[in-house]
Structures are given as C-alpha cells and as structure tokens.
Amino acid sequence: MSPRNQSYSSIEESSNVLDESHHHHAQKSSMKKMQLKSDSSISSDLDDALPWKWPFFVAIAGAGLILIGKNVLHSILDKSSSLKPIGPYRLVEAQEGHNFFSYYDFFDGPDSIGSAGYNMYVSKEKAMDLDIAKVITEEDPLSGDPVDFVHMSSAPTEKGPRDSIRLEGKRRFDHGLFILDVRHQPDGCGVWPAFWLTDEAAWPRNGEVDILEGVNGQTVAKTALHTSDKCDMYAHVSPRSMTGDWEWVTGIPNQFTGEPDFKTAKPADNCWVMAQHQWGNEGCTAVHDRNGTLGAPVNDNGGGVYALEWDPENKAIKSWVFSPIQDMPENLIGTIETAGLEDVSKQVTPNPHSWGTPYAMFAIGEDTGCSASHFKNMRIVFNLAFCGNVSGNRFTRECPVLAEKFNVTNKKGLNDPVWTCNAYIESDPEALNEAYWKIRGVYVYERELRKPKNDIKVEK
C-alpha cells in the first residue's frame, strides 16, 4: 500500500544530511566561543576576588555538583540503553472481539494520492452506523465454541466511491512478532485489501512492511518491504533460508525509447522505492512457493494465519502463511489459543524457530545490505481499498470479462483500466459481498529486553 504522506525524494534525503551537518558545525563553533568567554571571565574574577564576590564561587560549586549528578544519571541511562530485545517473546497486545477496535484509530478521509483508491474512509461512528464495522458472536467451525469475530466491509454511495475502513494502530513498534488469524479476507476484482506496517509521517525513511496484500482476486501470498536507499537483499539472502522466491520484474520501459523491455528480467530484491530496473515503489518482494495462500482459496479453507517476525537483533524479517489453519505448528496453535488468558503463566510463548522455514526472508541489520534503521516507529494498518493505482491499473488485464462489460475509453478511444474498474465498483455488484474481513484476532509480541553478552546468542 501507499502511505497517506508521500512527499519524498532522494535529493531531499541528501539535503537533510547536509542541513544536520551544517547545524552541528555551527553549534560547535558557538559553544567554543562561549567556552572561551567563560574561561576569560572566571580568570578575571580570580585575580581580584573580593568578599562580595564569594556568592559567585558558591554558585560555581553548586553548578559542579549539578554536573556530577547529571553524569551519574547519564551513566544510569547508558546502562539501561544497553539492554537489547534478545529474550523470549512476551505478549504486548491480544486484539480480540469487542476490544479489537480499541487498539486502533479510524482514519476519516480519502485514500492517499499514492494509492488513489476509489473509496472514502469513514470515522468509527459512521462505520458503525453503516454496519461495516462490527463484532459478531459466531460458532467457531474449528472448535465448535462461540467466538467473537471482527467484521469489516464497505458500503456503496450515490457519488460512486465506496465508504470503507482504514484502521491505524495506536502503538508504535521498532521490532516484534505479528500474528493475524483471519477467517475471511476481502477478495474479488477491483478489490485491494492490506494488513501492513508503516510510519506515514516518515515514509519511506522509517520503512513499510506489507504482510498481507492482494488485488483482483490474486491467490499467491507476498511480503514486500519499501524503504529509503541502501537496502538491498542481493547476495545477502540464501535461497535455502526461504521456501519462496523473489518476484521477477520485466517489461520496464526503456529510458530512451519508452518501449517496454520484455527481454530483460531481474528479481525484485532491492527495497528502495526508487530502485533502478524495478517498478516505482515496488520494493523488495518475496512470493510464496504455493498457490492458494491468499484470497478465495484461503477463505474456502476456513481462513489462515499470517505471521511476520521483525527481529533486527537476529538480523531478519520473516513471513509464514498457514492455511488451512489446522496445518499450523503445535506451538503456534497454543500461542493463539492462550493469548487471551489473563493468567500470564498459562500463555504459550511463541517460538518461530519451530514453525518451519518461512516463505519470505529479508536480511536486515549489521553485515547485511540493509541497516536495521530502515525500519522503525511503525504501526499496524488495516485497510480495504478499491481500484486505484494498483488494482485499477491491472483491472483490464486481470479481469478481462468484466473489463469488456464495463469498458470506459479515454479521449483516444482506448480502454482506460482505472475508469473501467471504477464503473464496475459503481454498479455495486453482488460479487462485492465477498469483500470483507472476518478476523479472529491479531496478536503482537516483543522480545524481552536483556543485556547482551558476547557468549550469549539470541534466544530462538
């Protein structure tokens, strides 16, 4: 997805570094002048010290004590800052049932320019009034027990763009384990759902991670990272570290002729949103090795679990998909089933090391091609968009039958895929009844903070 804030350029990125350097130089110069002036003043006072000037020396002594106190505090902070998230995982949020929406803010307004979806996001109050955000108690087909499921969908409007939902998490993260138990995900032509992490105000500098995203009925899961420059997976990710593969890029227009180049193909393994020989804002994208891991097939299987581990201390971001849910490893089943228990001692600790090889693996941190600083201060986002710059632009190619039926042409008499997609959405087809989320829960864990030792490895 594209964040709501997208004012970014590589030139701006460089200029910020120059500005900071200039400010730092000016600050050092100013401090040096102040120090020389202070030394001169004190020397003069000592030469002709008089009784009435003793309060001055008392003040100096007091200032010294304050500085000592500050140094002690600084030392304490230094010790606490040496703690690293390397311990076992501990539950941070169990987003379930009627408490689910309390973890999010409802964004109220149009889609971002970058996504340009044919929809309008609405407030919590309006969403509840339209009955497109609700919690329903239903029997869980897996356990047979009554469970509170979160439902999110959309509604048609007279103006055309659908009223829809975008949730933005209240908590910010610099690492973590994110687990989504979803029993139905929005699916169909012109439909563009996503479950992702981002920091819109500092995009792409603070990164973006797309955990679940699909358009126009896609059925293969992908995980994508979008970053600023110098975040490259090339030669840093072993093929054996993941079961999936990089998405392959071809058809990029020649920079001189403008003609699509289908003779050249390369893996999308550079996460920079402006990387050469990749589509704009493509990022690095890992694709699942198995069909049926996204969209309708997952819904037909009764849902799936999407897990992403963002572990900078262990130098990796990893993704798994489990569908049918019954195929989940025992540890993950126990993790989800006990996350809502008030007795912490009875909660199962997630152990991703026991979940098998992830389908997606990204190397981040020291000794990789992407520093961990590319990802920080991100929050969870759920949204349901329609058409727009991705689903819309691909509508004619991926939904040809509907494109022929709702064909809208431009001034040259050629098919316009985005307008055609919009026309389809405006017709409020019955197929859009499948464009809804049904969520059992979202579970977020973070590693315990511990002081690292050279002979202690990160706990798996």
Side-chain angles (χ1 to χ4, degrees), residues 89 330-339 341 344-351 445:
Y89 280 111
E330 185 176 346
N331 170 260
L332 185 53
I333 293 175
T335 295
I336 293 176
E337 287 181 348
T338 62
L341 298 179
V344 178
S345 66
K346 294 182 179 180
Q347 294 176 355
V348 174
T349 300
N351 179 17
Y445 295 80

Side-chain angles (χ1 to χ4, degrees), residues 42 78 134 174 239 257 332 344 388 396 442:
I42 294 173
D78 271 352
K134 55 191 174 183
D174 292 314
T257 66
L332 185 53
V344 178
T396 299
V442 173

Side-chain angles (χ1 to χ4, degrees), residues 3-230:
R4 291 187 279 108
N5 250 335
Q6 280 197 293
S7 55
Y8 166 81
S9 71
S10 56
I11 296 176
E12 179 187 348
E13 188 174 83
S14 301
S15 68
N16 286 341
V17 176
L18 293 173
D19 288 344
E20 289 177 8
S21 176
H22 175 75
H23 173 73
H24 181 63
H25 176 75
Q27 189 178 39
K28 285 179 65 178
S29 177
S30 175
M31 290 176 64
K32 188 173 182 181
K33 290 178 181 178
M34 290 174 65
Q35 183 65 44
L36 290 171
K37 183 177 180 181
S38 176
D39 291 345
S40 174
S41 174
I42 294 173
S43 177
S44 173
D45 285 340
L46 288 174
D47 287 341
D48 58 348
L50 294 173
W52 61 269
K53 288 190 176 181
W54 282 112
F56 171 79
F57 295 104
V58 173
I60 291 294
L65 291 173
I66 292 173
L67 287 173
I68 292 172
K70 284 185 176 180
N71 287 334
V72 172
L73 178 61
H74 182 68
S75 175
I76 294 173
L77 290 175
D78 271 352
K79 290 180 180 179
S80 65
S81 65
S82 67
L83 297 176
K84 303 292 183 182
I86 58 176
Y89 280 111
R90 292 292 179 258
L91 183 68
V92 176
E93 293 181 350
Q95 306 172 8
E96 296 180 322
H98 291 280
N99 291 326
F100 181 86
F101 293 117
S102 66
Y103 291 95
Y104 296 92
D105 292 318
F106 281 67
F107 173 66
D108 188 359
D111 203 357
S112 68
I113 296 175
S115 296
Y118 196 56
N119 50 271
M120 179 69 69
Y121 296 118
V122 299
S123 66
K124 181 177 182 179
E125 293 72 22
K126 186 171 183 179
M128 297 292 182
D129 289 341
L130 291 171
D131 204 32
I132 61 175
K134 55 191 174 183
V135 178
I136 301 177
T137 303
E138 305 173 58
E139 180 180 301
D140 186 348
L142 300 180
S143 65
D145 299 327
V147 172
D148 294 332
F149 288 102
V150 176
H151 284 247
M152 295 186 288
S153 56
S154 65
T157 66
E158 293 182 358
K159 294 182 179 180
R162 293 182 75 85
D163 283 336
S164 190
I165 292 175
R166 176 182 169 117
L167 301 182
E168 300 179 340
K170 295 179 179 180
R171 186 190 292 261
R172 298 285 180 162
F173 300 95
D174 292 314
H175 53 89
L177 177 63
F178 305 83
I179 302 170
L180 167 65
D181 183 345
V182 56
R183 303 304 175 85
H184 188 283
Q185 54 193 270
D187 176 63
C189 285
V191 181
W192 183 8
F195 169 63
W196 49 306
L197 302 170
T198 190
D199 178 9
E200 302 94 337
W203 186 94
R205 292 178 186 83
N206 286 358
E208 173 188 335
V209 181
D210 300 326
I211 304 172
L212 184 163
E213 181 177 19
V215 298
N216 298 333
Q218 291 176 336
T219 57
V220 181
K222 302 177 183 180
T223 299
L225 310 186
H226 305 267
T227 70
S228 55
D229 197 8
K230 299 179 181 178

Side-chain angles (χ1 to χ4, degrees), residues 390-405:
V390 178
S391 182
N393 276 312
R394 301 166 64 154
F395 186 79
T396 299
R397 182 171 73 253
E398 297 177 343
C399 303
V401 175
L402 291 173
E404 184 177 356
K405 180 179 179 180

